[in-house]
Amino acid sequence: ENQYKHSEQKTRDLEVTKLELEERTKQLQLTSKYKTEFLANISHELRTPLNSLLILAQILLENKENNLTEKQKEYANTIHAAGKDLLNLINDILDLAKIESGKIHIKRNEMEIGDMVSFITNQFEPLASRKNIEFKVEVASNIPGFVYTDTQKVYQILKNLLSNAIKFTVKGKVRVFVKRIIHQQGDYIAFVVADTGIGISKQNQELIFEAFQQVDGTTSRQFGGTGLGLSISKELAGLLSGFITVESAEGKGSTFTFYLPVKSEAEVISTYPNVEF
Ligand code: ADP
C-alpha cells in the first residue's frame, strides 16, 4: 500500500512539474514575442531619421556648388559610410525580428538559375577585382533551367555568402560552383562558395550561425559587418526547405554550401495544398 501511495504522489508531482513547465513556456513565448515586436518597432523608427541623414550626406558629397574643402568632403564621406553601416545593421535586425516572429513571407516564383548566376557574377566580379581576388563561377551541365522558389531570398543568401567570401579573403580566389546533388534526403541545387581567405576554427564554425556572433580578435573586426548575415541566411534557407553547411580551415579558407531543393511548381503545390503562393 505504501508503495502505491508513493507512486500516486510521484504522479501528482509530475503533473505539477508539467503545469509549471507549460506556464514557463507560455511566459517565454510571450517575452520573445515582446522582444521581437520591440525590435521591429525600434528598427522602423530608427530608419526614418537615418535616411534623412544619409540623403543630406549624399548631397554634401555631390557638392554641386563645389565649395567644400578636402577636410569637409572627408567628413561627409565618413558620415555617409557610418550611416550606411548603421542602416545595414538596422535592416538586418529588422529582418531577423521578422523571421523570428514568422512575419517573413515566402513568395515563390520560377527562378531561372542562369539569370541568378549572371546576376551574382555581374555584381561580385567587380568587387573581387578591386581587391585583386580571382573570381570564377562554374555551373554544372545537369542543372535544371528553373526552380520554383523565392528568388529574392535566394539572392539575399548568396549575396551574404559571397560578400563574406570576398570580405574575409585578402588575396587569392573566390570560386562559386553550382551543382546538382541528388541523395536520399532529396534533390538539391548546391551553391558552393569557396574562398582562400582567413578561415574559421572548428570551435567558431559552430557559433557563426548564431545572431551577433563574429569571430573575435582583430582580424575579423577589421573587416566590419553586423554578425547577423549568417543567422539570417540560415533562417531563410530553412524557410526555403534548404540548409547551409560550412567547411573551413584556419589560414586556408572556407567553403559555404547552400543547398536549395529542386522543386517544380506542381510539387510545391502538392506539398502545401492549403497555402497560397
Ligand atoms: P558579418 O560578416 O556581418 O560579421 P556574418 O553573420 O555574415 O556577419 O558572419 C559571422 C562571422 O563569421 C564573421 O564575422 C566572420 O568572423 C565569420 N565568417 C563568415 N564568413 C566567413 C568567411 N568566408 N571566411 C572567414 N570567416 C567568415
Side-chain angles (χ1 to χ4, degrees), residues 92 160-161 163-169 193 195 197-200 204 207-210 212-216 220-221 223-233 248 253-256:
D92 279 356
N160 183 247
L161 298 184
S163 35
N164 278 345
I166 293 175
K167 182 162 74 170
F168 295 106
T169 302
V193 179
D195 66 57
I198 61 171
I200 308 155
N204 284 327
L207 295 175
I208 52 174
F209 290 98
E210 308 281 321
F212 291 111
Q213 288 292 339
Q214 295 179 309
V215 175
D216 240 323
S220 62
R221 286 277 171 244
F223 296 99
T226 63
L228 289 175
L230 281 178
S231 17
I232 294 174
S233 300
S248 184
S254 313
T255 300
F256 284 84

Side-chain angles (χ1 to χ4, degrees), residues 187-200:
D187 181 1
Y188 293 96
I189 293 191
F191 293 92
V192 183
V193 179
D195 66 57
T196 59
I198 61 171
I200 308 155

Side-chain angles (χ1 to χ4, degrees), residues 14-259:
L14 272 176
E15 267 164 16
V16 172
T17 319
K18 198 174 150 226
L19 278 178
E20 273 172 7
L21 262 177
E22 277 170 5
E23 188 52 38
R24 187 94 189 94
T25 311
K26 258 191 235 151
Q27 274 173 4
L28 277 174
Q29 279 167 345
L30 206 62
T31 316
S32 163
K33 185 170 162 258
Y34 290 148
K35 184 198 81 183
T36 307
E37 277 172 9
F38 169 75
L39 282 177
N41 286 338
I42 195 95
S43 306
H44 190 77
E45 295 303 320
L46 283 170
R47 261 208 303 209
T48 318
L50 192 54
N51 274 323
S52 328
L53 196 146
L54 275 169
I55 291 170
L56 291 174
Q58 183 75 43
I59 292 174
L60 277 179
L61 280 174
E62 284 166 15
N63 189 23
K64 293 233 166 72
E65 287 92 24
N66 205 12
N67 56 359
L68 291 188
T69 64
E70 283 308 308
K71 243 316 133 299
Q72 286 167 331
K73 278 187 215 158
E74 196 187 309
Y75 291 160
N77 229 325
T78 309
I79 295 175
H80 195 254
K84 265 177 90 179
D85 280 352
L86 202 51
L87 191 62
N88 284 338
L89 175 61
I90 292 168
N91 285 337
D92 279 356
I93 293 177
L94 196 60
D95 270 356
L96 209 56
K98 274 195 202 151
I99 294 172
E100 281 182 358
S101 61
K103 281 195 187 127
I104 281 249
H105 298 294
I106 297 295
K107 289 190 211 88
R108 290 180 197 265
N109 41 32
E110 285 205 330
M111 180 182 93
E112 201 173 323
I113 313 268
D115 282 354
M116 178 58 76
V117 169
S118 344
F119 192 66
I120 54 175
T121 310
N122 291 339
Q123 190 175 352
F124 288 96
E125 208 160 41
L127 295 180
S129 120
R130 224 179 287 162
K131 282 184 75 182
N132 267 332
I133 292 171
E134 192 188 314
F135 185 77
K136 225 174 170 182
V137 184
E138 278 173 43
V139 184
S141 56
N142 62 346
I143 290 294
F146 295 94
V147 269
Y148 199 63
T149 188
D150 188 323
T151 311
Q152 200 270 330
K153 306 275 185 302
V154 171
Y155 171 64
Q156 199 173 342
I157 296 169
L158 292 178
K159 188 173 111 183
N160 183 247
L161 298 184
L162 273 159
S163 35
N164 278 345
I166 293 175
K167 182 162 74 170
F168 295 106
T169 302
V170 181
K171 63 172 197 253
K173 296 178 205 155
V174 170
R175 303 260 214 97
V176 182
F177 302 97
V178 186
K179 303 186 206 169
R180 182 146 184 193
I181 294 182
I182 305 174
H183 54 66
Q184 279 155 327
Q185 284 110 305
D187 181 1
Y188 293 96
I189 293 191
F191 293 92
V192 183
V193 179
D195 66 57
T196 59
I198 61 171
I200 308 155
S201 69
K202 263 264 160 305
Q203 193 188 353
N204 284 327
Q205 286 170 33
E206 292 176 13
L207 295 175
I208 52 174
F209 290 98
E210 308 281 321
F212 291 111
Q213 288 292 339
Q214 295 179 309
V215 175
D216 240 323
T218 45
T219 6
S220 62
R221 286 277 171 244
Q222 93 194 33
F223 296 99
T226 63
L228 289 175
L230 281 178
S231 17
I232 294 174
S233 300
K234 178 185 156 192
E235 297 290 336
L236 290 179
L239 288 174
L240 300 175
S241 319
F243 57 98
I244 300 175
T245 60
V246 60
E247 277 172 70
S248 184
E250 264 180 301
K252 295 219 167 98
S254 313
T255 300
F256 284 84
T257 306
F258 164 38
Y259 291 87

